[in-house]
Amino acid sequence: MDIAARNLRDRLGGALIAAAATPMTASGEVDLDVVSRYLSGLVLDGVTGLAVLAHTGRGPYLDPDVRAGVIERAVALGVPVLVGVGGGAEDPAAQARVAAELGADGVLVFPSDGDRVALHEQVWRAARLPMIAFDLYTRPCPAGTLRELLAHPGVAGLKTALLSDAMGCQRAIALTREAGRLAITGEDRMFGPSLLWGAEAALVGIAAAGVGVTAAVLEAFAGKELRVFEEASGRLDRLARATFTEPMEGYVQRMLWLAAAEGRVPGTHAHDPYGPSLPEEERAVVLAAFG
């Protein structure tokens, strides 16, 4: 493993990394001052790392200038910053170079339909930033490909977000640990179980708001008191059932509703124009689950 990847792996062990949303208006306009206040609030409330411009942050849809501004705001907060690359029309290698130039600590590489190993090599050669590979439910990664990715010197860890595939999640965690990389849970709907299966850090969209609910599960797991862990996991599961549900892409809007209710973002910037339209009555369901 490359020394930079090893250092990032060690730095992120035990971390709660928020897959941060990108606050925006209904027409998709981004105010970077709003972004800065939002990200700062996540850090103040207990996240120890930020993943910006990933799936939750709608990174593939944003213009390069906006992407650069979001990265700059995140890096200024002094916590480890991962930047989502790929998944859209822009060259992921070029996105990785910009992330490196702006001081990001690593990149989260979106799954692709083509040669995933070649994609990671392209990103690595372009920027030499440590990479987090991504096993996502919309494009689950075959075991053989996972092994190849986890053998790449630039890969520091793997985020698994397989939603309801418990066996796939267990396999991915086991393969990651066998390869000496960091096993990162992205399993909002299997959060507690994924820790029991061996996940060593978390990078989750459910920490885009309501940070304390997620942080409490990690703290309880580290404390080894079963009843406390059970209660904390139950609170998170209730929130996840209300936010990570069909239509699944609606979770970004649901988390922005919660962020607005907490005062993290103004209501004018609590919109996800790239997700499905949700009935207004769902907002009350989300807020009730949080309360």
Side-chain angles (χ1 to χ4, degrees):
M1 191 190 319
D2 184 87
I3 185 63
R6 182 180 295 111
N7 288 342
L8 184 65
R9 177 201 64 186
D10 295 344
R11 189 178 181 194
L12 295 182
L16 172 57
I17 306 159
T22 303
M24 62 184 78
T25 66
S27 61
E29 296 177 6
V30 176
D31 183 327
L32 291 174
D33 289 336
V34 171
V35 170
S36 187
R37 289 192 293 272
Y38 164 67
L39 296 178
S40 176
L42 295 178
V43 173
L44 288 172
D45 282 354
V47 305
T48 52
L50 293 167
V52 296
L53 305 172
H55 193 196
T56 307
R58 297 307 194 202
Y61 300 101
L62 302 181
D63 291 338
D65 288 348
V66 173
R67 287 179 56 90
V70 171
I71 296 169
E72 288 174 335
R73 269 49 174 196
V75 168
L77 296 172
V79 298
V81 173
L82 304 175
V83 176
V85 299
E90 192 179 353
D91 177 15
Q95 292 176 333
R97 280 193 293 269
V98 171
E101 291 166 2
L102 294 176
D105 298 278
V107 291
L108 177 68
V109 183
F110 279 82
S112 66
D113 290 327
D115 187 332
R116 299 192 194 195
V117 178
L119 172 62
H120 284 70
E121 178 64 15
Q122 177 189 15
V123 169
W124 175 245
R125 287 182 177 275
R128 291 284 166 171
L129 269 184
M131 299 176 289
I132 304 298
F134 194 2
D135 195 7
L136 182 63
Y137 69 96
T138 56
R139 291 186 177 91
C141 193
T145 304
L146 274 182
R147 289 189 178 92
E148 288 188 70
L149 289 175
L150 292 166
H152 191 288
V155 170
L158 171 75
K159 167 178 170 168
T160 173
L162 295 175
L163 189 62
S164 59
D165 182 358
M167 293 195 307
C169 178
Q170 291 170 331
R171 178 195 66 188
I173 289 171
L175 289 175
T176 303
R177 295 187 61 143
E178 287 169 11
R181 269 59 173 184
L182 186 68
I184 305 171
T185 181
E187 302 291 357
D188 306 88
R189 290 300 300 265
M190 298 190 292
F191 190 82
S194 67
L195 296 176
L196 294 169
W197 296 333
E200 303 160 293
L203 196 173
V204 283
I206 205 165
V211 174
V213 177
T214 311
V217 182
L218 286 172
E219 291 167 6
F221 183 72
K224 306 300 182 185
E225 290 192 25
L226 177 59
R227 183 61 63 187
V228 176
F229 177 67
E230 180 185 18
E231 292 173 354
S233 293
R235 288 192 295 272
L236 185 143
D237 286 343
R238 286 191 292 275
L239 180 59
R241 285 197 299 271
T243 49
F244 286 78
T245 187
E246 298 296 340
M248 195 56 61
E249 277 297 295
Y251 87 87
V252 176
Q253 179 60 74
R254 297 180 191 112
M255 294 310 301
L256 283 165
W257 281 340
L258 182 53
E262 291 183 297
R264 296 183 187 279
V265 299
T268 53
H269 288 73
H271 296 275
D272 175 28
Y274 304 105
S277 177
L278 300 179
E280 182 61 27
E281 53 265 28
E282 267 204 53
R283 186 195 300 255
V285 174
V286 170
L287 299 186
F290 179 62

